[in-house]
Amino acid sequence: MLDLSSKFEKKLSKEFETKGFIKEKIPNKIFKEIENIFTKFIKKEIKLTKKYSNSYLLNNFHRFIGQKELNNFRIKLITFINKDQNFRKKFFLSAKPYLEILVGNELMMQNNINLSIQLPNDDSSLLPVHSDVWSGDSPFEIVVWMPLVNCYKTKSMYILPPKQYKKMEKNFKSLLAKDSEAIFKKIKKNLKWINIKKGEILLFNQSLPHGNRVNLEKETRWSMNCRFKSIFSPYGDKKIGEFFQPITLKKVSELAMSYRLPE
Ligand SMILES: [Fe+2]
């Protein structure tokens, strides 16, 4: 196949293919703006009077909220960030250069950005090992994952690298008959735990098995995730309108979609 992409594009694409993800820095200004939106909201919601640094507040959020109030708080915050089109733009802009290399430049963005807040030892928001494609997502989708705090070990997420997944595919049927905990135990030693710092962004292959565990570290994890796909690529269960919204449709495509050959 003729490949006219640049050296950098080739390098990034190869990395995504072999590791199942790429991890890149996002512009500092955008990250600071996003971090401030979150901490401002937290301070207002939990009526903080003492001054804390953004990083302390996020990492130690479990000291300010109980597990019972967490879900309501999370829903309020998700609603807040998602009604702001400008916030969606910031999120998109942080991943844009990499999405354009890996996915394309006419893009669909998920209608809602998801937020995960994992307090230490909290088992209420776990994602057992899964591949999104097994449950009906299109393999043409990609997930952008943005942490607001440094994530490592169980405070992060894991993914099964492509090489290991190839081995798993061979006895896929017998493996899928097991429950997800049994699958996890089976592939545990081959999993790659993502070590990622705040100010970085992860784009990962959601067709590879991934998930998280109870956060056994001493800090709270904050991360957002959002799906993107090329507008004119095949769809799975998640459809245009109800799930995806076009964000960078080009003029020629727009005109072409309404073009009718004169009779
Ligand atoms: Fe997933």
Side-chain angles (χ1 to χ4, degrees):
M1 186 186 82
L2 177 65
D3 183 357
L4 299 180
S5 46
S6 73
K7 250 189 180 165
F8 177 67
E9 290 167 336
K10 282 193 184 106
K11 183 182 155 280
L12 207 79
S13 305
K14 189 77 199 158
E15 191 182 336
F16 185 81
E17 184 184 8
T18 49
K19 285 165 60 179
F21 66 89
I22 58 159
K23 195 174 71 175
E24 295 292 330
K25 266 206 157 59
I26 60 179
N28 201 26
K29 184 175 174 284
I30 299 186
F31 180 74
K32 283 281 157 216
E33 283 169 5
I34 291 178
E35 194 190 35
N36 279 332
I37 290 171
F38 274 84
T39 48
K40 219 175 138 187
F41 182 91
I42 297 171
K43 284 174 190 165
K44 205 179 112 220
E45 270 306 305
I46 58 176
K47 298 181 182 70
L48 263 194
T49 46
K50 252 177 110 179
K51 269 200 170 167
Y52 297 101
S53 71
N54 285 347
S55 175
Y56 181 89
L57 190 57
L58 292 165
N59 276 304
N60 292 280
F61 190 58
H62 51 281
R63 300 179 199 268
F64 302 102
I65 199 158
Q67 267 178 26
K68 270 193 191 147
E69 301 107 77
L70 182 64
N71 207 34
N72 269 346
F73 172 87
R74 204 177 67 91
I75 292 168
K76 256 189 178 170
L77 182 47
I78 288 181
T79 313
F80 174 73
I81 56 173
N82 278 299
K83 69 174 186 222
D84 181 0
Q85 294 299 329
N86 220 0
F87 187 87
R88 290 171 65 72
K89 191 171 176 185
K90 286 189 214 304
F91 189 96
F92 165 60
L93 287 181
S94 10
K96 185 174 181 248
Y98 315 111
L99 285 170
E100 289 187 343
I101 293 171
L102 296 173
V103 186
N105 65 1
E106 286 189 284
L107 292 166
M108 283 286 186
M109 181 176 182
Q110 187 177 325
N111 288 339
N112 279 311
I113 297 172
N114 290 317
L115 170 68
S116 147
I117 307 169
Q118 276 201 292
L119 309 182
N121 304 313
D122 178 12
D123 60 2
S124 63
S125 58
L126 297 184
L127 264 181
V129 58
H130 68 285
S131 147
D132 302 3
V133 180
W134 297 344
S135 52
D137 281 329
S138 163
F140 288 81
E141 296 166 15
I142 194 169
V143 175
V144 175
W145 199 90
M146 186 198 289
L148 291 168
V149 288
N150 296 347
C151 294
Y152 50 90
K153 296 182 184 165
T154 56
K155 189 188 172 192
S156 190
M157 58 164 280
Y158 61 77
I159 189 164
L160 185 69
K163 230 186 188 163
Q164 268 76 26
Y165 178 60
K166 275 268 163 293
K167 288 180 206 158
M168 177 187 174
E169 265 181 330
K170 285 182 190 138
N171 40 27
F172 189 70
K173 274 206 176 117
S174 67
L175 204 61
L176 266 206
K178 301 182 196 301
D179 64 41
S180 58
E181 192 56 27
I183 301 179
F184 177 78
K185 283 203 175 113
K186 193 102 186 136
I187 62 175
K188 194 178 168 189
K189 64 176 195 304
N190 295 323
L191 296 174
K192 163 89 185 155
W193 285 89
I194 310 282
N195 196 334
I196 186 169
K197 293 204 162 51
K198 63 174 186 168
E200 293 180 330
I201 202 162
L202 178 81
L203 286 85
F204 74 89
N205 182 347
Q206 42 105 42
S207 66
L208 294 168
H210 58 276
N212 64 25
R213 305 289 287 173
V214 174
N215 174 7
L216 298 175
E217 316 315 318
K218 291 186 178 74
E219 298 165 334
T220 298
R221 187 245 276 187
W222 291 75
S223 62
M224 288 179 278
N225 66 76
C226 187
R227 242 157 238 289
F228 292 84
K229 76 190 288 293
S230 171
I231 295 178
F232 300 104
S233 63
Y235 288 78
D237 290 348
K238 296 187 165 85
K239 306 277 191 247
I240 306 175
E242 61 189 82
F243 196 88
F244 283 113
Q245 172 191 42
I247 51 166
T248 52
L249 183 70
K250 301 288 180 190
K251 193 45 84 183
V252 171
S253 302
E254 185 196 315
L255 295 172
M257 284 191 293
S258 58
Y259 181 83
R260 297 285 170 271
L261 205 62
E263 283 176 18

